[in-house]
Amino acid sequence: MNMIQAINSALDVMMGRDPDVVVMGEDVGYFGGVFRATAGLQQKYGNHRVFDTPITECGIIGVAVGMGAYGLRPVPEIQFADYIYPALDQLVSEAARLRYRSAGEFISPMTVRSPFGGGIFGGQTHSQSPEGIFTHVSGVKTVIPSTPYDAKGLLIAAIEDNDPTIFFEPKRIYNGPFDGHYDTPAKSWAGHEQAQVPTGYYRVPLGEARVTRAGEALTVLCYGTMVHVVENTVAEMGVDAEILDLRTLVPLDIEAIERSVRKTGRCLIVHEATRTSGFGAELMAQVQERCFYHLEAPIERVTGFDTPYPHSLEWAYFPGPVRIREAINKILKD
Amino acid sequence: MSDRIDSDAGRDGAALGSGRNLPPLRLHVPEPKFRPGDTADFSDFDIPPAGAQARPDEVAQPGEMRDLAYGLVRVLDENGAAVGPWDPKLPAETLLKMLRAMALTRAFDGRMFRAQRQGKTSFYMKSTGEEAVSIGAALALASDDMCFPSYRQQGILIARGWPIIDMMNQIYSNKGDRLKGRQLPIMYSAREAGFFSISGNLTTQYPQAVGWAMASAARGDTRIAATWCGEGSTAEGDFHSACTFASVYRAPVIMNVVNNQWAISSFSGFAGAEATTFAARAIGYGIAGLRVDGNDALAVYAATRWAADRARSNAGPTLIEHFTYRVEGHSTSDDPSAYRSADEASHWPLGDPIARLKKHCIGLGIWDEERHAAMDKELAEMVRDAAREAEKNGILGHGLHHPMESMFEDVFEEMPWHLREQQQAMLDEWKAAGL
């Protein structure tokens, strides 16, 4: 399966298992979603469980909070992560706080799916990576898969989880892994070992990172599309890097990070999101606090620049192979 | 204003009209009629007589009942008699229950306001003058209908028989507070009473109520949802999204706008009241809209009952504007004499909701002044006794709160490592400091 099919399969599996699961969002019903992630679900489960909504993100999430309070398990879709901001009040002030402020009387077991990230000439409002906004909010979990296998397993785990979860789907790798070489033909997931996706139910637990490549020279912390860019760059360089796909940002798999950095003594953090106050800053702080005496070089970050996501200059902005290579060389030189 | 614009350097003079024979544009900024020092005068108020509004069938099309969004549904006339087609013809028992809940709410508000002034808690908000809005509605709903209130509907909890001592424990943030001292006073949550957790963020409960109602409908349930916001909060985007969703899916929901004329210091004109009524907004969404005398408990009851029946028969949502007056300050942190005429409340033409219902009950011969005075005394004592009991659980700042490590619970269902780590660090710091 490609990542879209894996996500579709996760929704199908969960709707079949749990009558409380409902899917809602702009264009998700009859049409099956602008990325086809919900294709066929309305036909299969009916329009009381899979339905199109008005174009109002604050309404979609607000309604999902109410449905959760009733006892349903909503899976709202925000068409692009760039359009999640109108729903921020409902997510930050309501969904994230509901269990805490009611001392557990009411909960918000929703999973907000949203395509995110760049690399598709999406310009300013179809490319953003706003995960740092959500990792800063107490009470929500933030999950980002990088493969079809993980996308399905993590989405199932998120839907089953009783806490509100932001599930960001890297749209650049919906149809195939992306190694950062934008000038070569696009690849498909066919043949990729992580594209072997069981058709039935399985979970990938939240809060656990995946070591995609074991190594000794340095640790690279990354997630989403950047996992593939890093994997490829490391292979091209012939560096013995250990690559961690974090998969869940909150709660973070701190043990896996600590274990790896203590072993390698060097750490690179890579994300598409802008640098200042991005999630990389938190990762840096954690590594510095926990692995200080094991560090042999300063921790480096390769991230998006602190600018809005540009259109024509996308490949200068994107943290691609050139920038990652430079950072790795710098870390290894120290 | 125009002088300043004309001298605004760097702007294109022609665009500002200097080269054109056009009158200058003027920005309209609403102003309330009365400010501090003014004598309030509501004599030009257009108040339709009680009983004058038609009562359409509960499943009528919104377009057939436009007048109801601009008029005022009233049942109790000047003499306290119930008149017209909206008279809910309630039995004596219900009328007295309503009267008692309203009086208890007022007694509770009085006591808790004083408790804040005595330093026993940090904050309180009264609902004086608006008791009919929450209590009339609560009694017209089924006990398992879910309410999504704002912070000024404490009357719903009281009408539903929720223990006032539990409310006080919450206000004192003491060890008896079920919300563990996490919430600002009055931000109650009482799932068992069908009372949704109150949020400080205005109008967020509106789409949530619609979502709850949609879930109930999708499930083939028979329960409906009701929600409340103030007229000031109708300006929030969530109001619009809720109305849109409610209309699109014909959600079984009642959306109440409590128009008490004031949003802290801003009069209702800043929410759009100069141009239209709040009930009339329903028309644009294709929702049934009713404008009701909010100080007339029978009118509130009747309108809510109508809307509930409408929702239960799958005829869709109703928006009800309750026209009332916020008699007291916005909160214990507010001094209304800084922005409005001091005597507005006493001149308010729709009177006091408790006095009006009392007059009605006396007129029916089921009540009298003596019994009312005795009830007020009994309720005051009841509230006093409950407050004393609650104070035994602690008052704010006196240490009888929940253990500090409980601060980290319920952020998530299970406490993740980073919260456990912070919790332990906090305890270690206090221990190291010898506390």
Side-chain angles (χ1 to χ4, degrees):
Chain A
M1 292 185 197
N2 64 28
M3 194 183 280
I4 286 286
Q5 291 160 334
I7 286 161
N8 186 274
S9 174
L11 294 170
D12 188 8
V13 165
M14 286 313 296
M15 294 199 75
R17 284 170 68 95
D18 184 349
D20 289 335
V21 174
V22 293
V23 168
M24 58 195 281
E26 297 157 15
D27 305 297
V28 307
Y30 184 86
F31 178 59
V34 294
F35 290 104
R36 316 307 302 148
T38 57
L41 296 176
Q42 187 180 70
Q43 287 82 342
K44 188 166 177 183
Y45 296 102
N47 64 6
H48 281 201
R49 294 190 60 202
V50 183
F51 53 89
D52 292 312
T53 65
I55 303 172
T56 159
E57 288 77 15
C58 66
I60 291 169
I61 301 302
V63 159
V65 171
M67 290 180 154
Y70 178 91
L72 301 187
R73 200 169 279 280
V75 189
E77 176 183 301
I78 300 294
Q79 203 161 78
F80 288 87
D82 315 63
Y83 303 133
I84 206 167
Y85 308 121
L88 269 189
D89 190 31
Q90 286 287 348
L91 285 168
V92 175
S93 311
E94 302 294 320
R97 314 284 200 238
L98 190 54
R99 177 191 296 278
Y100 190 73
R101 77 174 197 231
S102 70
E105 275 198 336
F106 297 95
I107 63 169
S108 191
M110 75 166 82
T111 301
V112 183
R113 289 183 41 248
S114 190
F116 100 128
I120 56 150
F121 278 113
Q124 294 189 23
T125 55
H126 297 80
S127 307
Q128 295 170 35
S129 299
E131 69 273 16
I133 291 173
F134 296 96
T135 57
H136 190 57
V137 175
S138 50
V140 289
K141 295 178 176 172
T142 302
V143 179
I144 300 171
S146 70
T147 69
Y149 181 88
D150 280 355
K152 179 172 174 183
L154 287 166
L155 182 55
I156 287 174
I159 292 170
E160 287 189 329
D161 195 278
N162 284 327
D163 295 315
T165 303
I166 310 291
F167 192 87
F168 281 135
E169 301 165 1
K171 57 187 167 301
R172 182 63 181 81
I173 55 173
Y174 267 157
N175 294 310
F178 176 58
D179 61 13
H181 291 294
Y182 56 91
D183 44 1
T184 58
K187 295 185 192 69
S188 86
W189 282 108
H192 195 287
E193 63 163 17
Q194 289 284 318
Q196 299 296 316
V197 178
T199 53
Y201 170 91
Y202 69 94
R203 293 165 57 106
V204 173
L206 305 186
E208 288 184 16
R210 178 174 68 100
V211 178
T212 79
R213 183 192 189 285
E216 303 291 333
L218 82 160
T219 299
V220 187
L221 305 178
C222 52
Y223 48 89
T225 302
M226 300 319 296
V227 171
H228 304 281
V229 180
V230 168
E231 278 178 341
N232 195 62
T233 307
V234 162
E236 284 172 356
M237 292 175 75
V239 174
D240 187 24
E242 180 149 299
I243 303 169
L244 261 65
D245 174 3
L246 299 176
R247 301 198 289 197
T248 304
L249 305 191
V250 175
L252 187 64
D253 189 346
I254 197 69
E255 286 173 14
I257 294 170
E258 243 182 278
R259 203 182 306 128
S260 179
V261 178
R262 287 182 177 207
K263 180 177 71 173
T264 64
R266 296 167 199 270
C267 181
L268 170 67
I269 295 157
V270 185
H271 62 57
E272 288 181 68
T274 49
R275 171 169 299 221
T276 302
S277 302
F279 190 67
E282 176 62 24
L283 289 171
M284 247 179 150
Q286 293 286 353
V287 170
Q288 194 274 145
E289 283 174 11
R290 287 160 202 276
C291 310
F292 183 77
Y293 294 106
H294 295 81
L295 286 175
E296 290 166 39
I299 309 159
E300 290 288 329
R301 278 184 287 177
V302 177
T303 69
F305 297 117
D306 283 338
T307 69
Y309 204 107
H311 185 241
S312 70
L313 300 176
E314 172 146 57
W315 301 115
Y317 176 94
F318 190 86
V322 173
R323 295 177 58 203
I324 293 169
R325 184 179 294 119
E326 286 302 304
I328 289 177
N329 284 334
K330 189 177 171 197
I331 292 174
L332 294 180
K333 203 164 61 186
D334 278 320
Chain B
M1 189 76 176
S2 59
D3 288 344
R4 227 186 307 155
I5 290 172
D6 287 343
S7 65
D8 193 351
R11 299 251 191 141
D12 180 358
L16 289 169
S18 59
R20 288 200 246 167
N21 187 20
L22 290 171
L25 296 169
R26 263 191 299 272
L27 178 69
H28 173 70
V29 180
E31 263 300 314
K33 282 173 84 176
F34 314 113
R35 285 297 196 187
D38 295 340
T39 303
D41 178 6
F42 294 109
S43 56
D44 62 341
F45 237 61
D46 181 24
I47 304 170
Q53 292 289 347
R55 185 184 182 284
D57 190 80
E58 282 88 343
V59 297
Q61 291 298 315
E64 296 167 12
M65 34 188 287
R66 293 172 56 94
D67 291 352
L68 283 156
Y70 294 99
L72 207 58
V73 171
R74 307 182 72 222
V75 172
L76 292 171
D77 68 12
E78 307 75 62
N79 304 315
V83 296
W86 286 91
D87 176 10
K89 299 194 167 58
L90 296 177
E93 187 195 349
T94 309
L95 290 170
L96 295 178
K97 186 181 175 190
M98 193 182 267
L99 186 63
R100 185 179 169 87
M102 287 163 68
L104 177 55
T105 302
R106 190 166 292 184
F108 181 86
D109 278 353
R111 184 93 201 176
M112 291 296 100
F113 187 89
R114 285 205 305 283
Q116 191 278 337
R117 290 296 189 247
Q118 291 163 350
K120 291 174 181 171
T121 187
S122 62
F123 183 74
Y124 192 70
M125 297 177 105
K126 292 173 128 182
S127 63
T128 313
E130 302 173 36
E131 294 90 346
V133 172
S134 53
I135 289 155
L139 293 179
L141 295 168
S143 60
D144 57 355
D145 290 334
M146 183 58 88
C147 296
F148 289 76
S150 82
Y151 47 69
R152 225 184 287 280
Q153 278 79 48
Q154 53 264 54
I156 294 171
L157 275 178
I158 287 177
R160 286 187 161 178
W162 193 252
I164 57 171
I165 192 164
D166 182 82
M167 298 166 74
M168 289 168 169
N169 285 335
Q170 197 279 327
I171 289 164
Y172 291 140
S173 276
N174 60 25
K175 65 186 167 75
D177 175 13
R178 288 179 304 105
L179 307 185
K180 303 184 181 177
R182 294 174 187 157
Q183 273 278 48
L184 191 70
I186 66 112
M187 305 281 184
Y188 312 108
S189 179
R191 190 184 172 92
E192 274 179 68
F195 191 93
F196 185 72
S197 158
I198 295 176
S199 167
N201 294 61
L202 298 176
T203 332
T204 49
Q205 71 276 12
Y206 248 62
Q208 294 166 3
V210 174
W212 195 98
M214 287 170 64
S216 184
R219 271 305 178 79
D221 199 341
T222 58
R223 293 177 292 164
I224 64 170
T227 186
W228 286 259
C229 76
E231 90 286 349
S233 305
T234 61
E236 293 283 5
D238 275 338
F239 179 83
H240 168 66
S241 75
C243 289
T244 303
F245 264 86
S247 170
V248 167
Y249 302 96
R250 294 186 200 163
V253 63
I254 304 172
M255 299 186 285
N256 296 282
V257 175
V258 184
N259 177 5
N260 67 10
Q261 318 302 321
W262 291 94
I264 308 186
S265 75
S266 304
F267 88 115
S268 58
F270 283 99
E274 286 183 344
T276 184
T277 70
F278 294 98
R281 297 187 178 186
I283 295 169
Y285 292 102
I287 294 173
L290 302 177
R291 192 159 177 267
V292 173
D293 177 349
N295 289 16
D296 178 344
L298 297 187
V300 172
Y301 180 99
T304 307
R305 193 62 188 267
W306 184 93
D309 289 345
R310 179 178 180 83
R312 277 188 236 283
S313 53
N314 286 308
T318 302
L319 178 68
I320 305 177
E321 174 186 350
H322 303 269
F323 197 72
T324 181
Y325 185 80
R326 194 194 78 207
V327 172
E328 297 279 352
H330 166 70
S331 73
T332 48
S333 307
D334 179 41
D335 172 15
S337 72
Y339 51 78
R340 70 182 187 187
S341 164
D343 64 351
E344 261 190 26
S346 57
H347 287 86
W348 183 246
L350 296 175
D352 176 84
I354 297 181
R356 286 174 66 190
L357 186 60
K358 175 183 150 192
K359 191 172 179 180
H360 174 63
C361 292
I362 292 175
L364 289 176
I366 60 169
W367 199 240
D368 55 47
E369 292 288 357
E370 291 71 33
R371 273 187 274 181
H372 196 89
M375 177 180 76
D376 275 344
K377 187 163 175 287
E378 180 214 333
L379 293 175
E381 286 167 4
M382 191 177 122
V383 170
R384 181 200 61 203
D385 293 346
R388 283 180 183 163
E389 279 304 304
E391 286 169 24
K392 284 183 194 165
N393 291 328
I395 54 175
L396 188 70
H398 284 225
L400 283 173
H401 46 65
H402 282 264
M404 57 187 181
E405 59 269 32
S406 71
M407 179 198 317
F408 298 91
E409 294 162 4
D410 298 324
V411 177
F412 296 99
E413 184 174 38
E414 285 168 31
M415 201 183 294
W417 67 269
H418 63 287
L419 287 177
R420 278 200 309 276
E421 196 177 271
Q422 290 168 30
Q423 184 187 44
Q424 191 56 50
M426 180 190 75
L427 292 171
D428 291 346
E429 283 163 8
W430 284 79
K431 204 171 163 188
L435 296 163

